[in-house]
């Protein structure tokens, strides 16, 4: 039967099952490719073993072999088999193809660096469209531009210019990985290298053979599999010693939801997914999310990365979680997960495990049973204790619970940590919205007494994002007259302390007043200031009007608990930056700073915006602060960034 399509529609129905290599494809490209193949009758499969035609952004044979091998499909080059007789002549003329990669060493393991930028060393044989449809055992890897050009021409073009690789499937090569008698002891060392084959590999198989040997689980040292998945360098708890961790479930690409991908394509994707927008400030992230149960599990893994001081892992999970939170529908497949910006194979594997294990993830269960992790998590909740300090408490000082800190380390704690530990139970209690509003009213009344009635107050943080309860209260005060906000924080705290509302003042910063309330200067190289440099007071608050109130040093009653309150003072000309800086979720704030840097070349913080090249102030809110309200100022900042305004409840990135 002829493969020529009608003039109006390309016919892909007679092509064999097609597998798409997702490498180097954006979510938009992948989604469009699936739609086009399905629209023109093509058969898609996510099972690489069932495919005879593989499409991808691949230009070299080595890369094609590598991509197939990564998917557990080992092949032998058909061209290499056909050219055996001419091989000796190639050797004599020293014109053989170049196979060897660059061998590196990492932690004692042999690593092969595969470079896909080399030109194809093999001559391309002519391949017609009919050849693509032949019922042979060979797997054909074709550059994706063949399909794109065929769609544009409305006919199947000859594939000779597009065929990258033809390979016949073979059994996974078996190597003699049994260590000799003199190497048995070294094989158990955590840093021992994988055992390589004892017999030399034939020409052209060196890089492939070494890669196979590296990938052979039987050649790894057994101790590698004992390390808890949430830790890289930590001390393994007593429960984990001598216990081999269960290998996580693999993502099987043969499930029905993938096999019928052609007939059940991805659901319509939001615009931000199709456009690949990676910054959370570019999209709406309301709460709650339809995927919150899965995201809760990822958040527990993210906490483990925080406590393991794994900054890269924290950023990766933060990005993935923010993308999942913004996705407006319940996830149904790993393909949906992979289509989201910032969600890669690791997240899709975890989703597959969560979905097929009744909402459980093995790594999370191991964390919940790990005594060290549970102790670090408790220490991390103490006000004034960060991840690094929590690790020192456990690993260096040997403290395993709060009682250990009180008994053996109280004198070594600084004041904020002592207060955080003393009122630990109070600070675990959430603050309802009504109480936050009452605190804001009291603070504003004292600010107006200290200055005048022109003072305004905005409750920021989780309250402004719509949360019913929060761990603390963030208040931003400002005044259209810039002179009224200078040194205000000192007078305000003194007034609140005098009436007993503030029981402890832990931080009192006049940084902004001391630089005459100017936007923080930009330093080449950065560092040293953090995100916020406004005047502020971090205080412990207690309602003195409630009946039955205990003395301010009492920590025994929860009927009138102590609260954490942050009071921030902003000059009017940059109040929009301050409101934004204290209103969004953590990842939203991080992405807004990254967006300012990468898109505009600006330095953004809650005191304003500066140009990184010149150091000059960028007046997004109008020179001198001309906005009639802080709401208008906030909108002007979004507009100045070229971003669509996002309501506070659209910034819920956790």
């Amino acid at each position: 039967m002829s493969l020529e399509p009608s003039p109006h529609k390309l016919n892909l129905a007679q092509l064999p099952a097609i597998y798409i290599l997702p490498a180097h494809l954006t979510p938009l490209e992948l989604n469009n490719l699936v739609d086009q193949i399905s629209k023109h009758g093509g058969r898609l499969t996510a099972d690489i073993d069932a495919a005879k035609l593989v499409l991808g952004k691949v230009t070299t044979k080595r890369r094609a072999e590598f991509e197939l091998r990564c998917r557990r499909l080992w092949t032998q080059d058909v061209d290499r088999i056909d050219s055996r007789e001419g091989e000796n002549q190639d050797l004599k003329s020293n014109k053989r193809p170049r196979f060897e990669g660059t061998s590196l060493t990492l932690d004692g393991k042999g690593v092969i660096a595969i470079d896909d930028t080399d030109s194809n060393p093999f001559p391309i044989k002519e391949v017609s469209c009919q050849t693509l449809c032949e019922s042979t055992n060979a797997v054909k890897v074709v550059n994706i531009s063949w399909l794109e050009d065929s769609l544009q021409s409305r006919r199947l073009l000859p594939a000779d210019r597009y065929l990258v690789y033809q390979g016949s499937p073979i059994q996974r090569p078996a190597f003699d990985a049994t260590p000799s008698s003199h190497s048995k002891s070294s094989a158990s060392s955590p840093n021992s290298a994988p055992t390589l084959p004892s017999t030399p590999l034939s020409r052209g198989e060196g890089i492939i053979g070494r890669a196979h040997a590296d990938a052979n689980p039987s050649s790894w040292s057994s101790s590698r599999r004992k390390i808890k998945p949430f830790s890289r360098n930590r001390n393994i708890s007593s429960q984990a010693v001598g216990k081999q961790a269960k290998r996580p479930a693999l993502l099987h690409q043969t499930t029905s939801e993938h096999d019928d991908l052609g007939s059940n394509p991805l659901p319509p994707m939001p615009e931000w997914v199709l456009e690949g927008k990676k910054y959370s400030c570019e999209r709406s992230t309301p709460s709650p999310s339809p995927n919150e149960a899965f995201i809760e599990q990822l958040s527990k893994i993210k906490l483990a990365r925080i406590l393991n001081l794994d900054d890269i892992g924290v950023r990766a999970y933060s990005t993935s979680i923010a993308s999942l939170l913004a996705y407006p529908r319940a996830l149904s497949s790993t393909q949906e997960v992979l289509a989201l910006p910032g969600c890669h194979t690791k997240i899709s594997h975890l989703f597959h495990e969560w979905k097929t294990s009744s909402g459980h993830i093995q790594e999370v269960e191991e964390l919940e049973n790990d005594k060290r992790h549970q102790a670090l998590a408790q220490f991390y909740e103490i006000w004034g204790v960060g991840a690094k300090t929590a690790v020192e408490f456990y690993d260096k000082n040997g403290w395993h619970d709060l009682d250990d800190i009180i008994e053996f380390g109280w004198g070594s704690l600084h004041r904020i940590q002592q207060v955080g530990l003393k009122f630990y139970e109070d600070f675990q209690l959430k603050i309802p919205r009504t109480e936050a509003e009452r605190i804001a009213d009291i603070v504003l009344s004292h600010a107006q007494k200290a200055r005048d009635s022109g003072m305004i107050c905005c409750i920021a943080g989780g309250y402004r994002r719509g949360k019913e309860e929060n761990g603390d209260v963030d208040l931003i005060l400002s005044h259209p007259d810039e002179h009224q906000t200078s040194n205000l924080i000192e007078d305000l705290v003194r007034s609140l302390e005098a009436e007993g509302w503030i029981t402890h003042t832990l931080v009192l910063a006049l940084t902004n007043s001391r630089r005459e309330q100017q936007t923080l200067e930009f330093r080449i190289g950065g560092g040293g200031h953090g995100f916020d440099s406004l005047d502020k007071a971090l205080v412990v608050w207690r309602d003195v009007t409630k009946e039955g109130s205990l003395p301010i040093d009492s920590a025994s009653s929860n009927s009138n608990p102590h609260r954490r309150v942050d009071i921030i003072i902003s000059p009017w000309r940059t109040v929009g930056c301050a409101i934004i800086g204290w209103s969004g979720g953590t990842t939203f704030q991080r992405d807004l700073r990254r967006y300012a840097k990468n898109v505009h070349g600006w330095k953004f913080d809650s005191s304003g915006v500066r140009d990184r090249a010149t150091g000059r102030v960028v007046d997004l809110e109008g020179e001198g602060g001309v906005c009639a309200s802080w709401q208008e100022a906030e909108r002007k900042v979004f507009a100045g960034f070229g971003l669509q305004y996002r309501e506070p409840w659209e910034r819920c990135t956790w």
Side-chain angles (χ1 to χ4, degrees), residues 124 141 249 312 314 419:
I124 299 178
V141 180
I312 295 176
V314 172
V419 172

Side-chain angles (χ1 to χ4, degrees), residues 287 433 460-470 583 648-649 652:
S287 181
R433 296 180 66 86
Y463 173 93
R464 192 157 181 256
R465 297 194 298 274
K467 294 177 67 175
E468 292 300 323
E469 296 181 322
N470 292 278
S583 293
W649 51 265
C652 302

Side-chain angles (χ1 to χ4, degrees), residues 28 53 84 98 109 162 232 269 279 298 334 454 489 534 632:
L28 177 60
L53 178 59
R84 291 290 188 190
R98 183 164 57 91
K109 310 289 190 297
Y162 307 91
R232 293 182 179 176
M269 288 290 169
Y279 299 106
L298 295 184
T334 57
I489 190 65
L534 296 174
E632 179 188 349

Side-chain angles (χ1 to χ4, degrees), residues 83-141:
S83 61
R84 291 290 188 190
E85 293 181 359
E87 193 173 76
N88 291 335
Q89 184 63 34
D90 290 339
L91 287 172
K92 292 179 182 178
S93 62
N94 198 29
K95 294 181 180 180
R96 61 176 182 169
R98 183 164 57 91
F99 282 91
E100 274 62 36
T102 303
S103 180
L104 307 174
T105 301
L106 180 63
D107 294 335
K109 310 289 190 297
V111 177
I112 304 302
I114 296 180
D115 183 3
D116 64 347
T117 60
D118 294 341
S119 59
N120 193 335
F122 300 98
I124 299 178
K125 297 174 67 176
E126 283 198 19
V127 180
S128 66
C129 296
Q130 191 69 42
T131 303
L132 291 178
C133 301
E134 290 177 353
S135 299
T136 64
N137 195 37
V139 178
K140 301 175 181 65
V141 180

Side-chain angles (χ1 to χ4, degrees), residues 41 63 138 211-212 308 332 337 419 444 467 622:
R63 187 69 192 190
H212 287 167
N308 193 43
S332 60
V337 176
V419 172
L444 177 59
K467 294 177 67 175

